[in-house]
Amino acid sequence: MKKHCLSIGLGVSLLAAGQTYSQNAVNVPAAGSQLTQVRKVTINDPFWSPKMELWRTTTATDVLDKFEGKHLKAEEQAKNNVFENFDKVAAGKKGGHAGLPWFDGLIYETIRGIGDLHPDAALQARIDGYIDRIYAAQQADPNGYINTYTDLMEPTHRWGDNGGFLRWQHDVYNAGMLVEAGVHYYKATGKTKLLEVAVRAANHMTALMGPAPKRNIVPAHSGPEEAVTKLYWLFKENPDLKTKLNVPVNEQAYLALARFWIENRGHNAGYPLWLTWGNDQSEKWVKEQKYKEISADARPAWGDYAQDSIPVFQQKTIEGHAVRATLLATGITAMALESHMPEYMQTAGRLWDNMAGRRMFVTGGVGAIAHDEKFGADYFLPSNAYLETCAAVGAGFFSQRMNELTGDAKYMDEFERVLYNNVLTGVSLSGKQYTYQNPLNAHDHTRWEWHSCPCCPPMFLKMVSALPDYIYASAADRLYVNMFIGSNAEIGLADNKVAVSQETGYPWNGKVVLNINPEKTGAFSVHVRVPGWARGIENPYGLYASDLKQPVAFKINGKAQKVTLENGYAVIRREWKKGDRVELDLPVRPRVITANDQVKDLKNQVAIAAGPVIYCLETADNADLDALQVDTKSPLALQYRNDLLNGVNVVTGKSKNASGKVTSFTAVPYYAMGNRGGKGNKVWLPVNPATR
Ligand SMILES: [Zn+2]
């Protein structure tokens, strides 16, 4: 494992201004096409509910225990209890920081994730205890500055000043994750203590950073852009909340800070030259503050690695460190949602099109290259690619926001792909083992108990805890069903309130029942996403293709109903009354996926999917994995196996190897890989030449 979360690295200048990009940018959404998330949704689902319970209890506790060092020998624990960093700062100590500089951020992300999973009273009390310690640490500084690494190890280098190195120290990133945690924990619990810490930190940053005469400081790791936008939204939606806090609130200043951070990327000294100088020399140049020789208010360039080589609105392709890139794109999309400024809409659309159309793996993963954990070139999609769990989460957040912005279902298609196939892979069925990289084909890939850079479990918790918010959406008199997850929701429409309950066997079968119960009988439309995979559109830009195409049948109150498709949604507009029932049956059956011819690494190979789930072959089921060649003329069969991997569908088929030997193979969902000790897994499978 390379130390890649180390968030420093060679920036490669791929973002040439003026590059042409042939795909059309997103259509600027018409007024009213924007969606609103439906919150306070309860999940009640045979696939998701047991997992949610596991993560809320076992995984949440395991992550906190490991951040306390409890998995280590007694003598090692004290040095590795990350929470003690806050106690040391509160006590005015110096030195002895446990973990890497961005561990404060990981703690805040964990608090956000666990809070949103609604833990029991004991676990909530444990979180509140941590919040007391974070609060005390911030109280040590009169301005509200808080970053335990910088305070303990490099106290004269706050924000990278005086020869510090912001890209390594993560001052802004950590503060951003604090802000996000404060907002989420307040919304989940109604408690304001962490929110006050967050507002104090945000106030400090708004006073310090911005257009001249303020300081030119931008996050060297994205995430804070969306976080302060969420802080703005919280007070915009709840103006009375301001009076309940013991700190002043200026929500407009938070929005302005987010804009500054986004728009000031690429506005730097133009140095150091990460590409030609290498990391060491570039870091040295920054630490010696040579950029001050260029101009008094200059800041160093954080490179393509941190999306800082050219201004954001000039970026044609999604580049650099994949977690940073997807989180920046999420922040840009959030700002587009708020502002409707065309530059934001077009930039978000362009980056998404490039990501989904040319740089996304069949599991939805992104970030092909291990070195710098970055995006590769267009169509560089090798089966042994890096694909960090955190980058999958970032891609998912980006796609979900794009759906909110545009009302187009294709973004939820790709959200669903990455959720089931790369995010879900991040935690084992035991709830206590994790993945960092998620290569599609590997000989030696195993899950780990804990990592020197445990960034992925907190990001995983952030995504799965937000899932209830992503099932439904609304706009005016339109109700949207985005995800097929058993659930109950109350959805406010223009002049009506609608209780919706959903029952489904998804992803193992395609049966979905929606019970629609409006408060009063009335006309409105229900928009049900019909996934691209169910309509022969494996990818919106033809990056992948499949052999499945069949109409999806809808019934209303037991009678077949014709539906029209708009933006990927089946639209049912009618007069709805209590007790109405919509049924659909999505074609969850095995299908064979091929990659676009432009993808050189995947020629003559196929992947297998059924419904939203991508399958893989493991050595645990297929002893001769290396010799297998799929006989694509032989049919594939799908079967639910209760006894395997906590209950999964398996796909079986025939292989004919090079010597003509015929065997059968068994494929399991990729998300369940690595739970049975075996090390080899393959998503992309060679095809026997005689059966092509
Ligand atoms: Zn990670």
Side-chain angles (χ1 to χ4, degrees):
M1 177 65 57
K2 299 174 86 171
K3 293 184 289 180
H4 267 308
C5 188
L6 297 189
S7 304
I8 53 168
L10 191 69
V12 180
S13 290
L14 295 168
L15 294 174
Q19 274 178 343
T20 55
Y21 188 67
S22 61
Q23 286 163 5
N24 293 329
V26 67
N27 293 321
V28 175
S33 63
Q34 199 163 307
L35 309 187
T36 304
Q37 291 175 14
V38 172
R39 296 178 183 279
K40 300 203 166 96
V41 174
T42 314
I43 289 183
N44 181 8
D45 182 86
F47 180 83
W48 287 100
S49 293
K51 291 178 175 59
M52 289 285 191
E53 188 56 24
L54 178 78
W55 303 328
R56 175 176 24 241
T57 53
T58 305
T59 305
T61 306
D62 186 61
V63 170
L64 293 173
D65 283 353
K66 286 171 178 168
F67 274 126
E68 287 190 359
K70 283 186 179 167
H71 58 303
L72 302 169
K73 292 188 185 119
E75 62 270 25
E76 291 289 310
Q77 282 188 16
K79 289 195 297 236
N80 288 285
N81 185 334
V82 175
F83 297 98
E84 289 182 2
N85 294 330
F86 295 101
D87 306 339
K88 287 173 188 158
V89 169
K93 291 181 181 163
K94 295 296 167 203
H97 182 269
L100 294 162
W102 48 94
F103 274 34
D104 287 7
L106 304 188
I107 294 303
Y108 304 139
E109 292 185 279
T110 302
I111 290 174
R112 167 192 158 175
I114 296 176
D116 281 347
L117 284 169
H118 304 293
D120 66 15
L123 190 49
Q124 201 178 119
R126 184 173 175 182
I127 299 278
D128 289 338
Y130 297 136
I131 290 171
D132 289 344
R133 293 158 78 178
I134 294 163
Y135 179 92
Q138 191 191 43
Q139 289 296 308
D141 183 81
N143 297 315
Y145 174 89
I146 178 165
N147 185 16
T148 66
Y149 174 80
T150 301
D151 256 358
L152 294 174
M153 309 306 284
E154 306 191 35
T156 61
H157 295 158
R158 286 183 179 186
W159 312 114
D161 283 353
N162 308 311
F165 185 42
L166 185 65
R167 208 170 108 167
W168 171 252
Q169 292 169 215
H170 285 69
D171 295 50
V172 188
Y173 169 77
N174 287 344
M177 294 305 94
L178 167 63
V179 167
E180 188 180 66
V183 171
H184 279 255
Y185 200 69
Y186 166 74
K187 284 187 164 183
T189 65
K191 294 177 182 173
T192 55
K193 192 164 192 173
L194 191 65
L195 181 62
E196 282 191 13
V197 179
V199 169
R200 220 173 267 126
N203 289 349
H204 181 40
M205 290 192 286
T206 57
L208 191 68
M209 302 169 198
K214 291 183 185 177
R215 302 271 312 277
N216 180 358
I217 298 170
V218 303
H221 190 307
S222 282
E225 299 87 347
E226 191 197 28
V228 295
T229 307
K230 286 180 176 177
L231 187 65
Y232 161 79
W233 280 332
L234 177 70
F235 293 114
K236 182 185 171 191
E237 289 160 14
N238 306 279
D240 293 349
L241 178 58
K242 291 190 215 180
T243 61
K244 294 185 193 145
L245 300 183
N246 300 306
V247 281
V249 170
N250 180 353
E251 70 272 25
Q252 290 295 340
Y254 311 144
L255 190 66
L257 182 62
R259 265 195 80 174
F260 173 77
W261 280 341
I262 292 169
E263 294 178 25
N264 225 43
R265 291 192 175 249
H267 296 284
N268 50 50
Y271 283 88
L273 299 174
W274 297 92
L275 177 62
T276 48
W277 296 5
N279 269 0
D280 291 349
Q281 199 185 337
S282 293
E283 277 177 41
K284 185 168 179 291
W285 189 87
V286 171
K287 287 178 180 170
E288 289 172 358
Q289 303 184 78
K290 298 278 190 179
Y291 55 89
K292 289 200 167 170
E293 293 168 9
I294 293 167
S295 82
D297 63 348
R299 65 169 174 83
W302 303 126
D304 277 0
Y305 172 73
Q307 300 75 43
D308 192 31
S309 57
I310 59 170
V312 160
F313 300 145
Q314 293 173 26
Q315 294 185 11
K316 308 289 184 201
T317 52
I318 191 157
E319 298 291 348
H321 186 263
V323 184
R324 285 169 163 82
T326 50
L327 292 180
L328 176 61
T330 306
I332 292 167
T333 315
M335 186 59 73
L337 270 166
E338 174 58 29
S339 71
H340 303 108
M341 284 185 281
E343 305 97 308
Y344 277 89
M345 303 236 196
Q346 287 157 8
T347 302
R350 203 166 55 228
L351 294 176
W352 195 87
D353 289 353
N354 180 241
M355 177 179 82
R358 299 184 178 193
R359 300 185 174 190
M360 185 174 271
F361 288 71
V362 75
T363 50
V366 293
I369 299 176
H371 176 70
D372 276 357
E373 308 185 302
K374 68 189 171 192
F375 277 94
D378 287 351
Y379 303 113
F380 179 70
L381 302 166
S383 55
N384 64 350
Y386 189 74
L387 308 182
E388 183 183 347
T389 305
C390 286
V393 172
F397 282 140
F398 180 23
S399 292
Q400 190 280 326
R401 284 281 188 218
M402 286 300 292
N403 171 257
E404 252 180 284
L405 181 65
T406 61
D408 194 318
K410 72 181 176 195
Y411 300 106
M412 291 314 281
D413 289 352
E414 298 311 317
F415 173 85
E416 175 179 76
R417 177 184 299 278
V418 77
L419 174 72
Y420 280 97
N421 300 302
N422 195 330
V423 176
L424 201 46
T425 316
V427 174
S428 66
L429 300 183
S430 71
K432 293 178 167 187
Q433 291 183 314
Y434 309 91
T435 65
Y436 193 119
Q437 294 144 275
N438 298 279
L440 305 193
N441 292 17
H443 282 105
D444 56 354
H445 188 53
T446 50
R447 292 175 179 275
W448 40 270
E449 301 289 329
W450 201 235
H451 199 282
S452 57
C453 177
C455 51
C456 298
M459 281 285 274
F460 173 90
L461 289 171
K462 277 170 50 164
M463 170 58 82
V464 295
S465 63
L467 192 53
D469 294 349
Y470 302 157
I471 300 172
Y472 304 99
S474 68
D477 64 348
R478 305 191 298 278
L479 187 164
Y480 290 80
V481 180
N482 270 329
M483 297 294 290
F484 303 111
I485 297 177
S487 52
N488 296 290
E490 278 221 344
I491 302 170
L493 295 181
D495 61 349
N496 210 340
K497 196 189 275 179
V498 185
V500 177
S501 72
Q502 183 179 168
E503 299 151 36
T504 179
Y506 208 70
W508 306 135
N509 68 59
K511 290 197 176 12
V512 180
V513 176
L514 296 160
N515 297 299
I516 311 278
N517 285 298
E519 202 169 63
K520 56 185 187 197
T521 298
F524 55 90
S525 57
V526 174
H527 297 232
V528 182
R529 183 173 65 90
V530 181
W533 64 256
R535 302 184 273 126
I537 303 173
E538 193 67 37
N539 174 276
Y541 302 105
L543 184 58
Y544 302 103
S546 92
D547 58 351
L548 177 78
K549 190 169 188 179
Q550 98 157 44
V552 176
F554 276 76
K555 279 184 195 167
I556 295 182
N557 299 330
K559 283 195 195 128
Q561 169 88 17
K562 268 200 158 170
V563 294
T564 52
L565 216 59
E566 276 175 26
N567 297 324
Y569 292 98
V571 180
I572 309 166
R573 181 155 190 94
R574 66 194 291 275
E575 183 115 324
W576 297 89
K577 59 179 188 322
K578 277 194 178 64
D580 280 344
R581 178 181 163 98
V582 178
E583 289 167 86
L584 57 146
D585 194 358
L586 296 163
V588 175
R589 65 194 57 165
R591 67 185 189 277
V592 169
I593 298 174
T594 51
N596 188 294
D597 282 346
Q598 304 258 28
V599 185
K600 304 286 178 243
D601 292 297
L602 299 177
K603 286 229 182 294
N604 301 323
Q605 296 182 62
V606 294
I608 295 168
V613 176
I614 302 290
Y615 286 74
C616 80
L617 271 59
E618 285 198 288
T619 47
D621 307 300
N622 305 281
D624 57 344
L625 186 57
D626 281 338
L628 278 174
Q629 295 186 346
V630 176
D631 175 353
T632 53
K633 296 219 165 81
S634 228
L636 298 169
L638 187 72
Q639 188 196 1
Y640 185 75
R641 288 267 306 271
N642 207 16
D643 59 326
L644 195 66
L645 299 164
N646 292 353
V648 291
N649 276 353
V650 298
V651 177
T652 50
K654 288 266 185 290
S655 149
K656 199 185 266 183
N657 72 14
S659 62
K661 187 182 162 198
V662 176
T663 53
S664 50
F665 64 80
T666 300
V668 298
Y670 177 73
Y671 80 75
M673 55 73 59
N675 280 291
R676 294 177 292 170
K679 287 187 169 183
N681 62 277
K682 270 191 184 180
V683 167
W684 286 104
L685 307 162
V687 174
N688 183 288
T691 71
R692 255 178 236 152

